[in-house]
Amino acid sequence: MMKSMYIGLLVLSLFSLNSCSKINDEYQFNDELDITWDQMAQQTSDELITQFWNNEGYFNYGSDGSDLGFQYWPNAHAMDVVIDAYLRTQDPKYKDYFAKWFEGVKKKNGNTYENVFYDDMEWNALTMLRLFEITKEQKYMDAVLHLWNDILKAWNTEYAGGGLAWRKDMLYSKNACSNGPASILAARLYKLTKDEQYLDWAIRIYDWQKETLFDRATGAVYDNINGETDVINMTALTYNQGTFLGTAVELFDITKDPLYMNDAQKASNYTMTKCIDASNNVLRNEGDGDGALFKGIFVRYFIEYLKRDGINEAFRSKFENFIRNNGKVAWQQGQDTGILLFSPSWTQKPLGQTQLTSQSSAAMLFEGLASFEKSTKK
């Protein structure tokens, strides 16, 4: 993967986007859709499987066989969509993909779940942990713990005073993308096992990231710090915003400390004011490839945040209006009716084929909205 090159180019382009205007709470698009969030989720997630699933047990990178390449970390998010669809419907057809994917990605990844990118392993471990929670099959937990033990090798205090490295061959690069998902994973392992070591790690990683890569005044989550120079890359990307607030939510669940909800509010509000296409009040286009997944990841953890009590009511109204507007705009402007493919921009239809990353991101949006709607009716 060309992640470092991608981030470098993105730094140059983000400042030219309409991302610095404050969000307007007035929404101009049709509020009366003739389709439910549940139906949108069903159609989009099913299309992801139809267009991208490879019978060898993984998801292709391009729709309709246009790119049969394998990318490890997007496969975790595509399987998360399948898990979302199963939890929403309880339809066993989705469950049939679990074991096939689990074996398939290992084979395509060189007969191992390990990877040079620590964040890639974290994403797959998070997905496997969800599979364990559903099936209770020990093979999934065994894989999670194997990955967790490898991930812990990323922690070092030689550079930047702590934090998890991004890559095994770049231990000095401490990135939000390798710390946010790891702290979520540790918190969830604690919830399942009640083993204090996992909670200790969740808090340790979160505290380091908050101290080093989080702007407490604005809510921005910075991309990384170079431990050799102590220079911070101050680019704020939606998926890093999402995993930081995702950990805050997990730790609030465990500790009930309102400071975590305050952190989540700041990270959420920053994303809604600085990481948007202000002309449409939706999360911005962060490019194709890896970047097309970013806003879907934010949505996943933002929805979990919205399901919690303790959110300031003024912010809750603003946040809920914002995420619903994203869904409406994406459905009305981001796809051709009947085709159900999405580009990296939720305001533009794809031109021909699309990538696994952008389709998964859209599916996460609609699955998230369907899940949130269900939670409000309980």
Side-chain angles (χ1 to χ4, degrees), residues 46-67:
D46 282 353
E47 195 65 19
L48 183 146
I49 296 170
T50 299
Q51 291 277 347
F52 294 91
W53 179 254
N54 188 307
N55 287 330
E56 291 185 22
Y58 64 95
F59 293 93
N60 296 325
Y61 199 63
S63 59
D64 196 26
S66 60
D67 185 344

Side-chain angles (χ1 to χ4, degrees), residues 183 186 198-208 251 255 260:
S183 49
Y198 297 121
L199 180 56
D200 290 344
W201 272 112
I203 293 173
R204 184 183 308 174
I205 297 166
Y206 183 83
D207 285 349
W208 176 88
L251 291 176
T255 68
Y260 290 118

Side-chain angles (χ1 to χ4, degrees), residues 156-163 171-175 208 211-213 222-234:
N156 67 76
T157 57
E158 180 181 356
Y159 302 106
L171 295 180
Y172 59 87
S173 185
K174 306 295 183 68
N175 294 43
W208 176 88
E211 182 65 27
T212 310
L213 296 177
Y222 299 140
D223 188 71
N224 70 80
I225 181 171
N226 182 327
E228 290 183 324
T229 63
D230 288 334
V231 172
I232 294 176
N233 179 337
M234 298 176 72

Side-chain angles (χ1 to χ4, degrees), residues 105-134:
V105 295
K106 181 179 182 180
K107 182 178 179 181
K108 291 296 291 187
N109 193 52
N111 204 35
T112 179
Y113 294 119
E114 295 181 15
N115 196 277
V116 68
F117 292 97
Y118 284 111
D119 57 324
D120 288 22
M121 293 193 293
E122 291 159 13
W123 288 122
N124 278 270
L126 282 165
T127 302
M128 292 169 190
L129 191 62
R130 296 183 76 198
L131 293 177
F132 171 76
E133 290 183 87
I134 293 169

